[in-house]
């Protein structure tokens, strides 16, 4: 096992990694920007190093300074968390070159999955189902139009260097393909310094379902079931649950076995998540793969009883997977609400000082957070202040518990999306478990335009 891990991140995930390290008996080093010196990850780590000013470019994305911090503190591994440098192949390579273990997959896995066209090709070759689409980068707008005809409308243009929904354009008419290609490609060039595009048949009412993969460095690979991530707005997930209400044991078995076979073919290691799109007919298609621990990992932990962050660290240190697939059982139901410092209606960030803070508790309630009373939510970073994860024996009880917990949650001084979560957990489609990625839009439209009600009643 490692002796000392440097956590190249901040916020709730830095704290989550420190907790796993404590239980493993591994010492921790926090790095932080000048703006984060009062943060809990700095207080809870054994040591801390200030690595630069508030902007991420100068601190949490500053590779040379982070490696220097590892060197001076004698850390033998770096955990990148999610976001920031977590999927940066160069960073992982430089870590290895400096003799520091990177807690994550080998750099070549980051590089492969970072290019969505290469990832698609590799997963097709490894036996995963793909939507009809272009097999290579589109050369120009002529080729985009030609492929749109071949694939059939509607299509979606995606950036090879994108992911998570950035740099996408839906096209419904053949006459719109060329313009969409030009716009999308120049947006991708500006955002990722890479204008390469590909296209796929567009699925109208998809569910976003992802499968948690766990792999050691000795060829053993299992999955820990799926997470349903269809509750999202502008590609920001708001609620995730495990298991998916759309999943059946037969579908999980099929999805799991093709996914594991594909991961074996490419020699995947450490934890990862395969994103699938599930269509209305129950068919699933590979979308992309995330090569990091994810924000929503706790719902999988709750229904499997497995500590994913601890496991991730153990696997990076060379441990053999301690479970076989048949030992994995999905028990109960977990729902995660991302609590963001933002306006519940406009979704605009709401940074500032938290004047009063009371978190819910009781049976089946978990908070992975970083906020406290008097904590200042900074405008420099993402607006996630906590994740509320509620667990119960079945989905109706998990929903009831999440509503109860949200009612207990007190945050004053800043605005949060708690009211949004309360209304989503009462949305009839959500309660029935029959929803797709359009659910947030539809809830917001219904709230803006409420149906007439009878005069009595509340
Ligand atoms: C799609 C799709 C429909 N058809 N691809 C969004 C995140 C990224 N991983 C891929 N995403 C999607 N890809 C095909 N072929 C639907 C989504 C999608 C989405 C698209 C537009 C607006 C909101 C969305 C929410 C979830 C998924």
């Amino acid at each position: 096992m490692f002796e000392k891990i440097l956590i190249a991140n901040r916020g709730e995930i830095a704290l989550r990694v420190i907790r796993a390290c404590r239980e493993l008996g591994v010492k921790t080093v926090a790095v932080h920007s000048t703006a984060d010196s009062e943060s809990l990850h700095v207080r809870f780590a054994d040591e801390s190093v200030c690595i630069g000013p508030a902007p991420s470019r100068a601190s949490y994305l500053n590779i040379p300074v982070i490696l220097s911090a590892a060197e001076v503190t004698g850390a033998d591994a770096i955990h990148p968390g999610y976001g920031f440098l977590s999927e940066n192949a160069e960073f992982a390579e430089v870590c290895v070159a400096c003799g520091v273990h990177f807690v994550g997959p080998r750099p070549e896995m980051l590089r492969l999955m970072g290019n969505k066209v290469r990832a698609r090709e590799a997963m097709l070759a490894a036996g995963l189902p793909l939507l009809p689409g272009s097999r290579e980068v589109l050369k120009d707008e002529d080729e985009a139009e030609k492929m749109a005809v071949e694939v059939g409308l509607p299509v979606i243009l995606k950036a090879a260097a994108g992911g998570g929904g950035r740099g996408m354009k839906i096209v419904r008419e053949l006459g719109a393909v060329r313009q969409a290609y030009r716009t999308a490609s120049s947006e991708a060039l500006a955002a990722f310094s890479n204008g390469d595009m590909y296209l796929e048949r567009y699925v109208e009412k998809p569910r976003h379902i992802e499968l948690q993969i766990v792999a050691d460095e000795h060829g053993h690979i299992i999955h820990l079931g799926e997470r349903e991530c269809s509750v999202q707005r502008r590609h920001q997930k708001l609620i995730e649950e495990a298991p998916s209400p759309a999943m059946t044991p037969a579908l999980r078995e099929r999805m799991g076995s093709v996914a594991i076979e594909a991961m074996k073919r490419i020699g995947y290691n450490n934890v990862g998540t395969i994103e699938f799109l599930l269509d209305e007919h129950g068919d699933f298609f590979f979308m992309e793969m995330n090569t990091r621990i994810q924000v929503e990992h706790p719902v999988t932990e709750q229904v499997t009883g497995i500590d994913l962050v601890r496991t991730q660290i153990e696997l990076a240190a060379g441990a053999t997977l301690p479970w076989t697939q048949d030992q994995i059982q999905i028990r109960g139901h977990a729902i995660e609400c991302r609590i963001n410092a933002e306006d519940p209606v406009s979704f605009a960030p709401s940074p500032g000082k938290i004047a009063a803070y009371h978190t819910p508790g009781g049976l089946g309630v978990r908070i992975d957070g970083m906020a406290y009373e008097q904590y200042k939510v900074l405008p420099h970073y993402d607006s996630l202040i906590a994740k509320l994860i509620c667990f119960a024996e079945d989905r109706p009880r998990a929903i009831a518990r999440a509503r109860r917990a949200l009612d207990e949650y007190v945050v004053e001084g800043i605005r949060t999306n708690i009211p949004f979560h309360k209304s989503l957990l009462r949305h009839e489609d959500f309660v029935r478990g029959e929803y797709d990625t359009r659910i947030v839009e539809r809830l917001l439209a219904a709230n803006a335009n409420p149906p007439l009600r009878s005069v009595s009643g509340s």
Side-chain angles (χ1 to χ4, degrees):
M1 183 40 64
F2 305 122
E3 282 202 359
K4 195 188 268 192
I5 296 181
L6 180 145
I7 300 109
N9 214 299
R10 65 180 301 283
E12 69 86 18
I13 194 62
L15 221 49
R16 173 70 187 84
V17 175
I18 291 170
R19 286 175 171 146
C21 290
R22 273 280 147 78
E23 293 181 18
L24 281 164
V26 173
K27 293 198 272 299
T28 54
V29 180
V31 293
H32 65 93
S33 68
T34 51
D36 266 336
S37 45
E38 303 295 307
S39 289
L40 287 188
H41 77 284
V42 176
R43 278 203 246 168
F44 286 5
D46 296 309
E47 290 171 77
S48 65
V49 181
C50 182
I51 52 167
S56 303
R57 285 256 146 249
S59 47
Y60 298 105
L61 292 170
N62 190 336
I63 296 176
V65 182
I66 291 169
L67 280 159
S68 304
E71 165 108 57
V72 300
T73 56
D76 52 353
I78 294 184
H79 195 301
Y82 54 68
F84 295 125
L85 296 168
S86 60
E87 296 181 289
N88 185 312
E90 281 99 87
F91 178 60
E93 266 163 9
V94 179
C95 288
V96 175
C98 293
V100 181
H101 289 85
F102 177 80
V103 180
R106 292 190 304 285
E108 68 220 66
M109 292 295 133
L110 307 190
R111 190 153 273 134
L112 174 66
M113 296 305 173
N115 183 318
K116 307 303 163 187
V117 174
R118 280 192 59 210
R120 210 175 123 84
E121 202 55 29
M123 292 299 96
L124 177 69
L128 285 188
L130 295 191
L131 281 157
S134 54
R135 298 277 302 270
E136 283 166 50
V137 170
L138 298 166
K139 275 205 312 285
D140 53 25
E141 55 193 79
D142 291 344
E143 200 174 75
E145 196 177 72
K146 199 175 118 229
M147 280 308 307
V149 173
E150 199 176 310
V151 162
L153 293 168
V155 296
I156 183 165
L157 284 159
K158 297 184 177 181
R166 292 179 308 163
M168 303 191 333
K169 273 241 165 354
I170 300 159
V171 185
R172 297 178 182 286
E173 288 159 44
L174 203 53
V177 174
R178 288 164 173 278
Q179 179 60 48
Y181 172 86
R182 286 196 297 270
T183 312
S185 179
S186 58
E187 281 172 13
L189 186 63
F192 319 114
S193 315
N194 177 350
D196 288 354
M197 303 298 297
Y198 66 107
L199 69 72
E200 283 176 350
R201 163 97 44 81
Y202 179 66
V203 176
E204 293 284 358
K205 297 175 186 170
R207 296 183 81 125
H208 175 141
I209 289 177
E210 56 185 35
L211 196 72
Q212 179 67 56
I213 301 296
V214 185
D216 67 19
E217 292 174 357
H218 318 285
H220 306 106
I221 307 186
I222 60 170
H223 72 83
L224 300 183
E226 78 289 349
R227 295 183 286 263
E228 166 78 59
C229 304
S230 297
V231 181
Q232 42 178 286
R233 180 186 171 271
R234 298 196 181 165
H235 308 296
Q236 285 289 107
K237 295 170 188 162
L238 291 164
I239 295 182
E240 304 94 353
E241 51 180 324
S244 166
M247 190 53 73
T248 62
L251 179 58
R252 186 180 293 127
E253 165 59 35
R254 270 194 292 137
M255 191 181 276
S257 55
V258 293
I260 286 171
E261 183 55 32
M263 293 298 105
K264 287 193 171 154
R265 297 248 196 118
I266 65 167
Y268 195 78
N269 69 306
N270 209 259
V271 308
T273 298
I274 307 182
E275 288 185 3
F276 292 103
L277 188 156
L278 183 70
D279 73 11
E280 288 173 280
H281 316 291
D283 291 321
F284 64 89
F285 306 94
F286 170 78
M287 301 280 287
E288 46 190 84
M289 180 162 191
N290 302 317
T291 50
R292 57 170 192 273
I293 190 80
Q294 291 196 259
V295 178
E296 58 271 27
H297 76 275
V299 293
T300 299
E301 295 185 323
Q302 296 303 134
V303 299
T304 59
I306 289 175
D307 181 333
L308 268 168
V309 177
R310 178 189 176 114
T311 302
Q312 189 186 22
I313 294 167
E314 290 173 328
L315 295 173
T320 299
L321 252 190
W323 314 283
T324 52
Q325 187 66 52
D326 58 328
Q327 291 174 310
I328 304 301
Q329 285 197 31
I330 309 297
R331 243 194 78 249
H333 199 93
I335 298 177
E336 172 177 282
C337 296
R338 295 191 188 189
I339 310 299
N340 294 333
E342 63 189 24
D343 187 281
V345 176
S346 71
F347 292 88
S350 176
K353 188 188 272 193
I354 297 179
Y357 194 64
H358 173 80
T359 54
L363 182 64
V365 176
R366 163 178 174 184
I367 304 267
D368 277 21
M370 44 102 69
Y372 53 86
E373 208 159 282
Q374 303 301 313
Y375 173 76
K376 278 200 211 76
V377 179
L378 299 167
H380 313 281
Y381 310 109
D382 77 20
S383 60
L384 183 79
I385 58 165
K387 303 183 300 202
L388 168 65
I389 305 107
C390 294
F391 175 68
E393 48 273 58
D394 58 27
R395 188 170 187 272
R397 288 180 170 112
I399 293 174
R401 186 159 280 161
R403 287 179 186 154
R404 181 275 285 177
L406 287 163
D407 285 338
E408 283 178 25
Y409 219 136
V410 178
V411 186
E412 286 170 14
I414 58 165
R415 274 162 299 187
T416 74
N417 61 350
I418 289 172
F420 167 86
H421 286 300
K422 288 180 180 174
S423 91
L424 201 122
L425 291 180
R426 294 195 178 275
H427 189 293
E428 75 168 274
D429 295 350
F430 182 82
V431 172
R432 281 188 301 139
E434 283 172 31
Y435 63 92
D436 57 60
T437 52
R438 302 167 312 160
I439 187 171
V440 176
E441 271 166 72
R442 292 173 45 208
L443 174 77
L444 296 177
N447 285 351
N449 220 342
L452 294 173
R453 290 185 187 283
S454 60
V455 278
S456 62
S458 50

